[in-house]
Amino acid sequence: MRTPDGKDEKDLLELEGTVERIIYKNDANGYAICEVSISDNEYDTVVGTLPDINVGESIKALGEWVVHPNYGRQFKVSYFEKQLPATTATILKYLSSKNVKGIGPKTAKSIVEAFKEDTFDVIENHPDWLAHIPGISEKKALEISANFKEQFGIRTVMMFCQNYFGPTTAVRVYNRWGGAAVDVIKENPYQLCEEIYGVSFEKADVIAKELGMKKNAQFRIMAGIRYLASYNAFQNGHVYIPEDKLIPGIVDMLAIDQNDAEDALEQMLTEGKAVCEKRSGRKCIYLKEYYEAERYVCRKLDTLEKLCTKSSSSDVENWIYKIENEENIQYAKLQRTAIAMALESGVMILTGGPGTGKTTVIRAVMRIFHDMGLKIALAAPTGRAAKRMSEATQEEAKTIHRMLEVEYDDGIEPKFRRCENNYLDEDVIIIDEASMIDILLMQSLLMAIHPGARLLLIGDADQLPPVGAGNVLNDLISSDRFSTVQLTEIFRQAKESLIITNAHAINHGEMPDLTTKNKDFFFLPRADGQKIAETVAQLCAYRLPRTYGEQIRDEIQVITPSRKGEAGTEMLNILLQSVLNPPAPGKKEKKMRDVIFREGDKVMQIKNNYDITWEREIMGKKQDGVGIFNGDIGIIESIQENEQTMHINFDDRHVIYDYTMLDELEHAYAVTVHKSQGSEYPVVILPIYKYSMKLLTRNLLYTAVTRASRMVILVGDEATVYKMVGNNRQTKRYTGLPYYLSQYENEA
């Protein structure tokens, strides 16, 4: 039998005793250091995850002896059990340690003298008896009993949960369901993956199996349908799934009969947890939230377009003429059209590749709106994109989440303070990198914009679609419902950049220039994955720093199409860590799974964490915030072994991670192209090798190249570059936005 941390019980030692003193305790992650009495004159130091441990409690622990370099011999716990004290002496010690609110040493002595070994039973079940003790009123007796029951409840929940997940998640479980949590889980463990952040369907399924649940239980199948639909939303971008694909998928995934799957789906439709729409003879199955999101997006965009007070053509021409004269600038024809449409429309879309003047249009539009006395909000989906927007416009830009004033309540999804009951104050909302916006975020954004305001969406429609469900920007463009301008002209200064000219060549299906050696785009041919990986490591560690200076190390980002293969992120991160941040005396490490995290490592958050708090300093003032999101990159500044925490800097946002959260991190010396969306790096190195055919696409190559601002280096196989440029295949996403937009057009 194995303990929760994966160790075999037969290889561990056993320790039993009573907790005498708590040396250190972290309530957030359950880590503690305590002294345990083994006998009258023998004490040992015990360390590990010991949630809700208290003085006076008896524990039985499995673990191993270790020698700490500073604190000496310690018993490191892998698994433990505890029980409340049973003798009058240990009960007195427990209560005298102020473990129960309202009971101090003097009161504890009086209670134990009165009720002896029955003390805990009296506190829990007969609190009115406590009122006979001098100094304890009836009100205080009830408060003591309630506090004792609360402690006992969370202790029961945490002890039940420790076999399945960490103490942080166990606390979320208790906060959600209180003392009834264990009963809730036993009745339907799949509520965990539906209501508790950080619990997957797979984990809930494991718990259900251990609890003896039948594999064709209806709540298991319903949870499986929700999981499969959500998985397809986040992995494949589908907003809905055709029933003829959903049912076979769930039958295969859960190993159940088709009739059981159909019955469970029918129940979800009856309860309103899913919605079925029939289009072209095919049944389209939505989860309720995605159905509502698409319908809302269509309605609100239609409202914004109709209610906006639009500028007249003559006023627009006057504004443009005024700016051209004052700034001695001449806008290109399409730029003038884009400026005019932004002023004449409630919803306007501006697209174009690098170097086509999108930023010039944004500045002009902002200048005019300011002169008109309108308030403007600038935002982008990621922190890096918002920072780049601020630098380009010289005005503050926020992430969309921050602009909407995100809040968290230990749930699976964030909540936004800005909504239909609390609109944004601004009259003009300008969003950059709009190709990254999925359908749920678009719904939240639109809910916060007051009717009559303008919305300007800016993005590159030829980049990869969003990681989440939907293909909002392209769906809006293809609907032909809203004013859209695609900038195509590359301006003179931009033409000098081979990054930009090659990006446009790729986008047009033309082979990029791989022969020029004296510009900002280089190609280094290598025959196989191993040689590609070795060259990438040499470039990062030696060749580029030797040529351009040591500071370039911090400016390089390796972007690769795949996680797998010799030049995928998994192998490259191991290799790059070994050359860029090798082990060194005094440099602390923490091994998690098969990954070694080391002080100085570059790491990435790989899932949205809506609870985690951060702190930063701006102009001498401290600012607090919450939320680190999928794709955020930071540096491990320090590892605190005693506290079992890691201090990480995400673009000046300082965050403390406890060890139970490390499964949310991975190394970021190399990241996938999908993870790089919305970011820009001075130097991009792109391995080109023979990976999965579905990744050999033009828009993936185009997206990778356009992540660089100063230099791109392709390392690998020229034939693979040809394949990617020639492959304009885009994976179909099931979205209903075009259908609903066409309905509104017909109604209009």
Side-chain angles (χ1 to χ4, degrees):
M1 181 177 175
R2 294 190 175 275
T3 62
D5 63 359
K7 294 181 179 178
D8 197 320
E9 282 192 8
K10 70 176 184 294
D11 297 328
L12 299 176
L13 302 173
E14 184 178 296
L15 178 146
E16 288 189 66
T18 303
V19 178
E20 298 291 337
R21 183 165 73 99
I22 307 289
I23 299 170
Y24 172 81
K25 188 176 183 181
N26 186 329
D27 292 327
N29 62 17
Y31 182 80
I33 304 172
C34 57
E35 278 189 358
V36 174
S37 62
I38 308 305
S39 62
D40 290 342
N41 299 310
E42 186 179 358
Y43 297 85
D44 284 316
T45 301
V46 175
V47 302
T49 302
L50 303 159
D52 197 41
I53 198 76
N54 292 299
V55 170
E57 291 179 327
S58 299
I59 67 169
K60 175 182 177 181
L62 296 177
E64 56 190 341
W65 291 104
V66 297
V67 179
H68 192 280
N70 297 324
Y71 303 105
R73 185 172 181 263
Q74 299 177 335
F75 191 81
K76 186 176 180 181
V77 174
S78 292
Y79 174 78
F80 87 110
E81 296 176 347
K82 64 178 180 177
Q83 58 188 32
L84 289 173
T87 67
T88 54
T90 54
I91 291 172
L92 178 60
K93 178 177 287 189
Y94 179 83
L95 292 179
S96 297
S97 299
K98 301 181 180 179
N99 291 317
V100 179
K101 186 178 179 181
I103 299 180
K106 185 178 179 181
T107 305
K109 184 178 179 182
S110 299
I111 293 174
V112 173
E113 284 179 349
F115 303 113
K116 298 183 171 50
E117 288 87 352
D118 297 325
T119 293
F120 288 143
D121 178 63
V122 170
I123 293 174
E124 183 176 6
N125 300 309
H126 307 286
D128 53 310
W129 295 3
L130 294 176
H132 298 298
I133 304 293
I136 300 180
S137 64
E138 290 185 9
K139 180 182 178 182
K140 186 176 180 180
L142 292 174
E143 289 173 349
I144 289 171
S145 181
N147 182 257
F148 180 82
K149 289 177 181 178
E150 181 180 346
Q151 287 191 34
F152 188 78
I154 192 170
R155 181 181 296 110
T156 302
V157 173
M158 296 191 79
M159 293 303 294
F160 177 83
C161 291
Q162 72 176 358
N163 292 323
Y164 306 114
F165 29 71
T168 302
T169 303
V171 170
R172 289 195 190 106
V173 171
Y174 180 78
N175 289 340
R176 176 67 183 87
W177 294 308
V182 174
D183 291 333
V184 170
I185 294 169
K186 287 181 176 179
E187 181 179 346
N188 180 6
Y190 297 98
Q191 289 190 63
L192 286 165
C193 60
E194 295 186 4
E195 299 188 42
I196 305 298
Y197 169 74
V199 180
S200 66
F201 173 81
E202 291 89 346
K203 176 61 72 175
D205 210 30
V206 167
I207 296 172
K209 186 176 181 180
E210 291 188 9
L211 293 174
M213 299 289 176
K214 294 181 179 180
K215 68 178 183 179
N216 66 341
Q218 192 171 76
F219 48 69
R220 176 180 186 248
I221 303 172
M222 291 168 67
I225 290 172
R226 167 166 282 280
Y227 166 75
L228 188 60
S230 299
Y231 178 87
N232 271 281
F234 288 102
Q235 295 297 321
N236 301 310
H238 299 317
V239 180
Y240 68 84
I241 307 178
E243 186 182 44
D244 54 51
K245 289 185 175 290
L246 175 62
I247 294 299
I250 204 70
V251 166
D252 182 61
M253 185 181 87
L254 300 182
I256 57 173
D257 292 335
Q258 181 171 326
N259 289 338
D260 291 330
E262 291 173 348
D263 290 345
L265 175 59
E266 188 61 38
Q267 184 63 31
M268 290 182 72
L269 295 172
T270 300
E271 294 178 6
K273 295 178 179 178
V275 177
C276 177
E277 287 237 332
K278 198 167 185 179
R279 297 181 197 139
S280 302
R282 200 176 197 188
K283 291 182 178 179
C284 307
I285 307 300
Y286 285 86
L287 292 179
K288 180 184 177 182
E289 57 267 34
Y290 290 103
Y291 173 78
E292 292 179 344
E294 283 196 334
R295 297 296 297 256
Y296 183 88
V297 166
C298 291
R299 289 196 306 271
K300 188 59 175 280
L301 287 172
D302 189 65
T303 299
L304 292 179
E305 182 60 30
K306 288 177 179 176
L307 296 185
C308 174
T309 303
K310 303 171 177 65
S311 303
S312 68
S313 299
S314 58
D315 287 341
V316 170
E317 283 301 316
N318 289 336
W319 284 115
I320 295 175
Y321 180 74
K322 179 183 177 183
I323 296 177
E324 287 182 327
N325 280 341
E326 291 179 356
E327 300 189 7
N328 193 26
I329 188 173
Q330 184 69 43
Y331 294 116
K333 182 178 179 181
L334 277 177
Q335 287 181 318
R336 293 176 70 89
T337 302
I339 296 168
M341 283 190 172
L343 300 176
E344 296 169 356
S345 308
V347 178
M348 189 264 177
I349 301 166
L350 176 64
T351 73
T356 57
K358 293 194 298 292
T359 300
T360 301
V361 173
I362 297 170
R363 287 176 182 154
V365 168
M366 290 176 61
R367 162 76 186 276
I368 296 172
F369 282 139
H370 278 311
D371 288 348
M372 292 169 63
L374 300 179
K375 297 173 68 176
I376 302 171
L378 304 178
T382 68
R384 287 176 178 264
K387 184 177 180 181
R388 195 167 71 250
M389 195 180 190
S390 294
E391 292 167 350
T393 61
Q394 297 301 299
E395 294 198 20
E396 183 186 15
K398 301 176 181 178
T399 63
I400 296 175
H401 281 76
R402 186 173 163 225
M403 180 180 72
L404 301 183
E405 298 177 19
V406 66
E407 290 182 330
Y408 309 96
D409 57 2
D410 283 339
I412 293 178
E413 295 297 334
K415 309 294 181 186
F416 297 106
R417 288 187 59 209
R418 294 294 184 172
C419 57
E420 289 181 309
N421 297 321
N422 184 23
Y423 287 127
L424 291 166
D425 300 324
E426 289 80 7
D427 310 296
V428 181
I429 313 297
I430 302 177
I431 306 294
D432 199 10
E433 296 288 353
S435 63
M436 296 182 65
I437 300 177
D438 62 40
I439 191 64
L440 295 182
L441 184 57
M442 189 65 179
Q443 178 192 28
S444 297
L445 171 64
L446 290 172
M447 289 178 76
I449 300 175
H450 68 78
R454 289 177 167 89
L455 174 64
L456 175 54
L457 298 173
I458 303 156
D460 189 340
D462 294 311
Q463 289 186 22
L464 292 171
V467 174
N471 197 3
V472 175
L473 184 64
N474 276 286
D475 283 349
L476 296 184
I477 293 171
S478 63
S479 75
D480 204 26
R481 284 287 314 281
F482 308 102
S483 300
T484 302
V485 176
Q486 181 177 12
L487 300 177
T488 55
E489 180 183 349
I490 306 174
F491 290 93
R492 182 174 57 82
Q493 186 176 356
K495 286 181 180 177
E496 297 174 3
S497 167
L498 199 55
I499 294 175
I500 291 177
T501 55
N502 272 345
H504 283 273
I506 292 167
N507 198 32
H508 295 145
E510 301 166 3
M511 189 66 180
D513 180 355
L514 303 181
T515 59
T516 300
K517 301 297 183 185
N518 61 350
K519 286 200 172 184
D520 54 6
F521 192 107
F522 304 92
F523 176 69
L524 302 178
R526 294 296 184 270
D528 56 52
Q530 183 177 345
K531 289 185 172 62
I532 291 170
E534 290 171 355
T535 301
V536 169
Q538 291 167 5
L539 286 165
C540 294
Y542 315 115
R543 293 172 60 174
L544 291 177
R546 191 164 55 233
T547 304
Y548 298 99
E550 289 294 320
Q551 76 284 350
I552 202 171
R553 289 178 190 268
D554 297 329
E555 300 175 342
I556 299 169
Q557 182 60 58
V558 178
I559 300 176
T560 181
S562 176
R563 296 180 60 86
K564 304 299 182 182
E566 291 176 302
T569 58
E570 292 177 0
M571 297 299 291
L572 275 176
N573 273 316
I574 295 171
L575 177 60
L576 291 171
Q577 183 195 37
S578 71
V579 297
L580 296 174
N581 190 32
K587 189 179 287 187
K588 295 177 184 175
E589 299 178 349
K590 168 61 181 175
K591 186 172 183 180
M592 179 70 179
R593 307 180 303 275
D594 296 324
V595 178
I596 295 175
F597 292 107
R598 186 174 296 137
E599 290 177 336
D601 271 345
K602 188 177 185 179
V603 293
M604 173 183 282
Q605 177 76 15
I606 59 172
K607 64 168 77 169
N608 290 335
N609 187 321
Y610 301 117
D611 320 297
I612 196 166
T613 59
W614 50 259
E615 182 181 279
R616 67 180 172 189
E617 191 170 300
I618 298 179
M619 299 179 67
K621 293 184 179 180
K622 286 189 176 181
Q623 183 185 74
D624 298 324
V626 290
I628 297 294
F629 302 106
N630 189 356
D632 285 352
I633 291 178
I635 302 295
I636 299 175
E637 294 183 321
S638 65
I639 296 175
Q640 307 297 324
E641 295 173 339
N642 283 343
E643 291 83 3
Q644 293 201 328
T645 59
M646 239 178 234
H647 292 231
I648 304 176
N649 183 349
F650 290 92
D651 285 331
D652 297 326
R653 292 171 297 163
H654 298 274
V655 184
I656 298 176
Y657 280 68
D658 66 62
Y659 284 177
T660 63
M661 299 161 59
L662 298 189
D663 60 347
E664 298 181 10
L665 294 172
E666 62 183 30
H667 287 114
Y669 297 103
V671 302
T672 62
V673 179
H674 284 85
K675 291 286 188 183
S676 74
Q677 283 180 267
S679 297
E680 185 177 81
Y681 313 96
V683 180
V684 165
I685 300 176
L686 177 63
I688 300 289
Y689 58 102
K690 294 180 177 67
Y691 28 78
S692 168
M693 283 300 296
K694 72 177 183 178
L695 295 174
L696 293 174
T697 64
R698 183 186 302 171
N699 67 343
L700 187 141
L701 179 60
Y702 173 75
T703 301
V705 169
T706 54
R707 297 308 88 210
S709 61
R710 291 211 320 259
M711 185 188 303
V712 170
I713 303 175
L714 269 56
V715 182
D717 177 38
E718 186 172 350
T720 301
V721 178
Y722 273 101
K723 284 182 181 178
M724 296 183 78
V725 172
N727 180 11
N728 198 29
R729 179 183 63 85
Q730 297 187 23
T731 303
K732 176 179 173 55
R733 291 187 169 205
Y734 294 117
T735 73
L737 206 52
Y739 171 77
Y740 293 128
L741 286 169
S742 67
Q743 280 192 324
Y744 272 90
E745 184 175 30
N746 293 334
E747 290 173 8

